[in-house]
Amino acid sequence: MQNQRRQLAGLLFITPQLIGLLVFSLFPVMYALVLSFMDWDGFGARTFVGIANFVDQFNNPDFWTAMRNTIYYMVLVIPFNISLSLLVAVGLNKVTGKGLYRVFYFMPVVTSSVSIGVIWMWILNGDFGILNSLLAHLGVQGPDWLTDTNWVIPSIAMLSIWWGLGNNMVIFLAGLQGISRSYYEAAEIDGASRFRQFLSITLPLLSPTTFFIAIMAIINSFQVFDQAFVMTNGGPAKASYTIVYHIYQQGFIDFKMGQSAASAMILFCIILVFTLIQFKMSKRWVHYGE
Amino acid sequence: MANSSIRTVDKKLIPVKQEKHVNRIKPSQILLHLILTFGAIIMIFPFLWTVSSSLKDLSQIFLVPPTWFPNPVKWSNYIDSLTAMPFGAAYWNSFYITAVSVSATLLTASMAAYAFAKIRFPGANILFILFLATMMIPRQVTMIPLYLIMSKIGWLDSHLSLIVPGALFNAFAVFLLRQFIMSIPKELEEAAFIDGAGSFRIYWRIILPLIRPALAAVGIFVFLGSWNNFLDALIFLNTPEKFTVPLLLNTFKGLYIADWALMMAGTTISVIPVLLIYIVAQKQIIEGVTLTGIK
């Protein structure tokens, strides 16, 4: 079956994706790498500057602001996102009629970042937003969520937790369904409490799923941009200025192509590390399930 | 002796358990339902609040404390936002860009996936590793070079810049579809080959119908990604008539920032269709995300 015609067919089959790979992925990555060593405003002459752009990033206060904001966002989002979606998944797994709940919890996931951003701008409005009016009922004076430098990242984090919960929940649900009932039956005979079963059976057997979700959450959090761009334009006073915002700002607003490419390369390296960890570990959990 | 005593205990337990199953209204279940319902309300609350605000008069929208039900119901907010911005054109743009992206991606990715899964051609392994490796590249890295490429070939402010890169290159789709095609037994293909079918015929008549569930999953993934794509549209498009729904809504927000009622009407217009599609196809969408999420 492996004659020359078949081989030719194989090459023809991969041709469209191969062209795409070369033109829209490999070439742009090489291009970005070259740009990161150049000084260029996008129009005039390019000059080779060595690692100056990278040094520049590390001396650029905006880069560190962006880094700090992104990490702060991550620290707020990831623990809540994982624990809440896990709790909801465990709850749904135990309840009859989980289908309808699943529909509601997943609803935000399909909605675009811009729609979500505009909706939450209204909810978080300091003067007329519904959130502060609900807090007032409890006797709490809510902050100006999106215009207060201390609250803007927690606000975006809150929205992201709400937005991403359904996605992780369905992945957790799939993981939970892979755990055999017999473990719980055995534990029940031993007289283990529900909480004990959760700690000693559910959590350990679900750890590959949790790990996958955690790594994906880290990779996604490093790329946070849309919400900040739509709701706050990175402000107030750069309080919601993120790494991707920094890349965008340098490239498309300040026309510093080299610096923009250099910061993109730094982001690439960070994401690469987490992706490699995930690839390495995924080998482990493929066996795990068998 | 010990064994038999355990068995007798077991036998006593079984009828008790079955009885519980008949009238299963346990307090713990009710509590769980209450908690989950509360959570579900939080999840859909922002949507309900958006729709409610979209039907209010501006004087009502700034009432403290807020009211839930608009009085009078101001439907004209919808007419105003539809006439203020070319939402109709944005819908058509998003719709056809997404439709072309999904079908083209499924075609090219399944072709490549079939070749990688079933055909031994020179360089196959190295190329496949290259495909896997590119999955690690975040899109922000290629953002500026892609912009420069698009401007060089004259695709800026053209929908081609949103369609072609995705349609011709999706390593994740190739990888996922390959995994599915690998599990198809070799004998099916061999039988067809003996009957005189060529590679293309085998791909079209045997492979594609067999991987329909995987195609649906990848299709959903591409659909959501393309429909909700904001950053690429922001970078590549300039003319409002060419805008997609997310990009137009962002512009709308910029222009009508003070008129919250109108903004909520515009937002509802942007949200309703995708939620309708979701309600119709929710089972497939959730399964698709589960499948692609776990890998």
Side-chain angles (χ1 to χ4, degrees):
Chain A
M1 201 167 158
Q2 298 292 344
N3 54 26
Q4 275 187 329
R5 271 188 64 175
R6 175 95 172 147
Q7 289 195 1
L8 187 68
L11 286 169
L12 280 176
F13 275 125
I14 63 154
T15 302
Q17 283 280 325
L18 191 60
I19 292 171
L21 174 86
L22 295 173
V23 179
F24 299 117
S25 182
L26 287 186
F27 176 66
V29 170
M30 299 300 172
Y31 199 166
L33 187 66
V34 172
L35 274 180
S36 69
F37 296 108
M38 298 280 176
D39 188 30
W40 190 39
D41 63 2
F43 309 100
R46 306 171 196 210
T47 40
F48 180 80
V49 292
I51 59 162
N53 289 329
F54 291 91
V55 176
D56 207 69
Q57 289 305 316
F58 293 120
N59 291 322
N60 186 343
D62 281 354
F63 174 80
W64 291 112
T65 306
M67 196 56 108
R68 205 172 42 240
N69 289 340
T70 309
I71 289 171
Y72 181 33
Y73 167 85
M74 211 166 0
V75 169
L76 290 178
V77 168
I78 294 172
F80 279 108
N81 204 336
I82 292 178
S83 49
L84 282 177
S85 50
L86 174 62
L87 287 180
V88 173
V90 169
L92 281 191
N93 203 33
K94 288 214 173 108
V95 100
T96 45
K98 72 183 85 155
L100 198 60
Y101 288 120
R102 217 175 52 160
V103 173
F104 288 135
Y105 280 92
F106 196 79
M107 225 172 203
V109 179
V110 300
T111 316
S112 86
S113 58
V114 183
S115 309
I116 298 285
V118 178
I119 290 173
W120 279 80
M121 277 171 83
W122 177 224
I123 291 174
L124 296 170
N125 185 292
D127 299 319
F128 307 104
I130 186 94
L131 184 59
N132 276 1
S133 136
L134 288 174
L135 287 174
H137 272 295
L138 304 169
V140 179
Q141 165 75 46
D144 278 342
W145 298 95
L146 294 171
T147 51
D148 184 326
T149 49
N150 293 318
W151 282 102
V152 64
I153 288 283
S155 300
I156 296 174
M158 184 165 35
L159 165 173
S160 298
I161 292 162
W162 172 82
W163 193 21
L165 189 111
N167 198 55
N168 292 339
M169 180 206 75
V170 297
I171 297 172
F172 270 131
L173 260 180
L176 284 171
Q177 268 144 27
I179 300 175
S180 164
R181 283 287 323 151
S182 57
Y183 292 112
Y184 295 101
E185 278 157 15
E188 232 151 84
I189 289 167
D190 288 345
S193 69
R194 279 291 165 88
F195 184 64
R196 183 80 224 174
Q197 289 175 28
F198 176 74
L199 285 186
S200 307
I201 300 171
T202 312
L203 275 189
L205 288 180
L206 212 55
S207 60
T209 311
T210 314
F211 188 78
F212 168 75
I213 287 178
I215 295 282
M216 290 314 288
I218 292 171
I219 293 173
N220 288 333
S221 298
F222 266 115
Q223 303 182 57
V224 61
F225 169 79
D226 291 15
Q227 300 96 304
F229 184 83
V230 170
M231 298 202 298
T232 59
N233 277 315
K238 299 222 157 149
S240 61
Y241 188 76
T242 65
I243 301 197
V244 175
Y245 212 119
H246 185 58
I247 298 170
Y248 173 84
Q249 175 77 26
Q250 290 184 117
F252 294 101
I253 309 294
D254 303 338
F255 299 106
K256 294 176 179 170
M257 297 301 175
Q259 271 109 320
S260 178
S263 46
M265 281 296 157
I266 295 169
L267 176 66
F268 186 12
C269 291
I270 297 170
I271 289 179
L272 189 67
V273 170
F274 287 104
T275 312
L276 287 174
I277 294 173
Q278 193 215 312
F279 264 74
K280 268 254 179 311
M281 301 296 278
S282 72
K283 274 182 202 135
R284 234 186 248 179
W285 70 65
V286 169
H287 291 287
Y288 213 98
E290 280 161 10
Chain B
M1 262 318 260
N3 265 347
S4 67
S5 75
I6 286 173
R7 258 184 218 139
T8 49
V9 171
D10 266 359
K11 268 178 194 163
K12 271 180 199 161
L13 274 175
I14 290 164
V16 177
K17 266 195 176 171
Q18 278 174 340
E19 221 170 277
K20 265 190 178 173
H21 259 275
V22 175
N23 44 15
R24 55 150 30 122
I25 312 166
K26 284 192 254 169
S28 65
Q29 279 275 315
I30 294 173
L31 185 69
L32 203 52
H33 272 294
L34 281 176
I35 296 169
L36 288 170
T37 306
F38 179 71
I41 289 170
I42 293 176
M43 296 314 279
I44 59 166
F45 177 86
F47 296 114
L48 298 178
W49 184 241
T50 304
V51 174
S52 153
S53 306
S54 74
L55 293 169
K56 285 177 182 166
D57 188 74
L58 253 197
S59 60
Q60 254 203 318
I61 210 155
F62 294 126
L63 275 184
V64 179
T67 50
W68 258 107
F69 297 101
N71 181 32
V73 177
K74 208 180 161 197
W75 294 104
S76 61
N77 284 337
Y78 281 86
I79 297 158
D80 290 347
S81 38
L82 281 170
T83 47
M85 296 293 261
F87 270 108
Y91 263 108
W92 167 247
N93 294 338
S94 278
F95 169 75
Y96 99 84
I97 289 172
T98 303
V100 175
S101 296
V102 170
S103 35
T105 307
L106 289 183
L107 181 72
T108 63
S110 64
M111 279 165 55
Y114 171 55
F116 280 129
K118 296 288 183 186
I119 303 174
R120 270 177 232 290
F121 57 89
N125 282 337
I126 293 167
L127 283 177
F128 187 65
I129 289 168
L130 213 57
F131 267 86
L132 283 185
T134 56
M135 279 164 63
M136 300 183 192
I137 303 167
R139 50 201 288 274
Q140 290 83 13
V141 172
T142 54
M143 186 164 78
I144 285 174
L146 272 183
Y147 177 84
L148 298 170
I149 292 169
M150 293 303 170
S151 98
K152 202 77 172 174
I153 56 180
W155 282 4
L156 283 187
D157 206 24
S158 153
H159 291 151
L160 288 172
S161 59
L162 296 182
I163 297 171
V164 178
L168 283 189
F169 176 65
N170 190 331
F172 182 62
V174 172
F175 173 71
L176 200 82
L177 293 173
R178 174 184 169 269
Q179 300 300 95
F180 264 82
I181 298 173
M182 297 264 276
S183 67
I184 297 173
K186 186 159 84 193
E187 288 74 19
L188 269 176
E189 267 189 286
E190 274 165 3
F193 196 70
I194 289 162
D195 287 348
S199 296
F200 188 77
R201 218 181 148 76
I202 293 173
Y203 157 77
W204 193 254
R205 292 286 167 127
I206 296 173
I207 304 292
L208 278 192
L210 283 174
I211 58 164
R212 243 190 234 147
L215 288 174
V218 174
I220 284 159
F221 209 60
V222 178
F223 167 83
L224 288 177
S226 172
W227 187 273
N228 292 334
N229 188 344
F230 173 60
L231 190 53
D232 287 335
L234 176 73
I235 290 166
F236 294 140
L237 301 181
N238 292 316
T239 319
E241 285 71 31
K242 289 178 181 164
F243 282 8
T244 56
V245 176
L247 192 58
L248 191 77
L249 182 65
N250 187 55
T251 315
F252 188 80
K253 178 213 81 190
L255 294 174
Y256 298 95
I257 190 81
D259 194 337
W260 283 101
L262 203 62
M263 255 169 69
M264 288 301 111
T267 309
T268 309
I269 292 168
S270 85
V271 168
I272 292 280
V274 71
L275 284 193
L276 283 180
I277 293 171
Y278 167 62
I279 287 164
V280 172
Q282 51 91 8
K283 199 162 174 278
Q284 285 74 20
I285 289 177
I286 292 174
E287 274 169 12
V289 170
T290 311
L291 197 67
T292 46
I294 297 169
K295 282 193 242 185

